[in-house]
Amino acid sequence: MNTDVEENEDTETAKAADEKPEPAREAAKEPAREAAKEPAPEPPEQTDDGDNGARRERRWPRVLAGVLVVALLAAGAVMYAAGRQLRDTPATSNRALTDSAATAQVAGEVTNALGKVFSYSPDGTAATKASAQKLLAGKALQQYAALFGQVEKQSADQKLTLTTHVVRAGVTRLTPDSAHLLVFLDQVYERKGRAASKAAAQLSVTARLREGHWTIVEITSR
């Protein structure tokens, strides 16, 4: 009888032992369920200060690029002005120092013109006068026309022949349309029945380029 009672008690104790862990497992699962129900934390909102800082950081490269462009333009303007100033100095604008072909052309044409207008013979004054009309202009032509009447009469009366040779013509200044020259002349005077005589002359000459040819516009004796 006692044995049956003990067996029953052991059975009840075993059942109780089997039933006790269930509440413990449920209790362990409860925090996990609660944690699953809680929403995930939201990322912190970016403040206005952060946005402004980011914008400023993005603007800096553009601002720097703008400053560099302005600086380069300013430097280019300064260099252009300096280069133009150098080009416009008297030395660099004088083509007699840099353009040998143009210098030779004006010297040759002025030499030829002076040889023609300052050479005449008793029978050739008309040809000399015609040459002067083509090769001289302005003040030079006016002065020549005023004096040539006397020369023409003297040549006819005294049987005078004048031959002019240009010893040297130096171009002192040359621009695209004007030239200044210093010219040295040797002149030979011959009269019928007399020995020839020589004289030297030095002239300052100004010439202008007209229709591709140099015309003498002013002559000054030095």
Side-chain angles (χ1 to χ4, degrees), residues 22-215:
E22 292 299 327
R25 285 198 294 270
E26 292 298 326
K29 293 179 181 179
E30 192 64 27
R33 293 194 193 100
E34 293 297 330
K37 292 178 182 178
E38 291 180 0
E42 296 181 358
E45 295 183 357
Q46 194 171 11
T47 62
D48 292 340
D49 291 341
D51 291 341
N52 292 335
R55 293 192 192 98
R56 283 195 296 270
E57 290 178 359
R58 288 194 297 270
R59 273 202 306 268
W60 267 112
R62 292 196 297 268
V63 172
L64 183 59
V67 171
L68 288 175
V69 169
V70 172
L72 289 173
L73 289 175
V78 171
M79 293 178 67
Y80 173 78
R84 184 169 184 177
Q85 187 176 13
L86 288 174
R87 290 193 300 272
D88 293 341
T89 57
T92 55
S93 61
N94 186 1
R95 294 178 61 189
L97 303 176
T98 59
D99 193 336
S100 59
T103 302
Q105 179 187 359
V106 64
E109 292 188 13
V110 168
T111 294
N112 181 60
L114 292 175
K116 287 183 177 181
V117 301
F118 288 128
S119 296
Y120 53 83
S121 64
D123 299 328
T125 54
T128 301
K129 191 174 183 178
S131 295
Q133 293 290 333
K134 295 178 180 179
L135 302 172
L136 304 181
K139 186 177 179 180
L141 181 59
Q142 294 173 4
Q143 293 174 338
Y144 188 89
L147 295 174
F148 194 75
Q150 300 176 11
V151 171
E152 191 173 20
K153 185 176 184 303
Q154 185 181 22
S155 178
D157 293 343
Q158 300 180 12
K159 305 299 180 181
L160 178 63
T161 298
L162 175 65
T163 304
T164 298
H165 299 282
V166 175
V167 177
R168 184 177 180 183
V171 182
T172 59
R173 182 167 181 79
L174 177 63
T175 67
D177 60 356
S178 67
H180 298 274
L181 301 91
L182 184 61
V183 183
F184 297 89
L185 307 174
D186 275 345
Q187 294 180 306
V188 179
Y189 295 89
E190 295 179 278
R191 289 183 177 89
K192 188 175 181 180
R194 296 185 181 182
S197 61
K198 288 185 177 183
Q202 183 177 341
L203 305 176
S204 292
V205 178
T206 300
R208 298 282 182 185
L209 186 64
R210 297 179 176 177
E211 297 180 356
H213 297 284
W214 291 95
T215 301

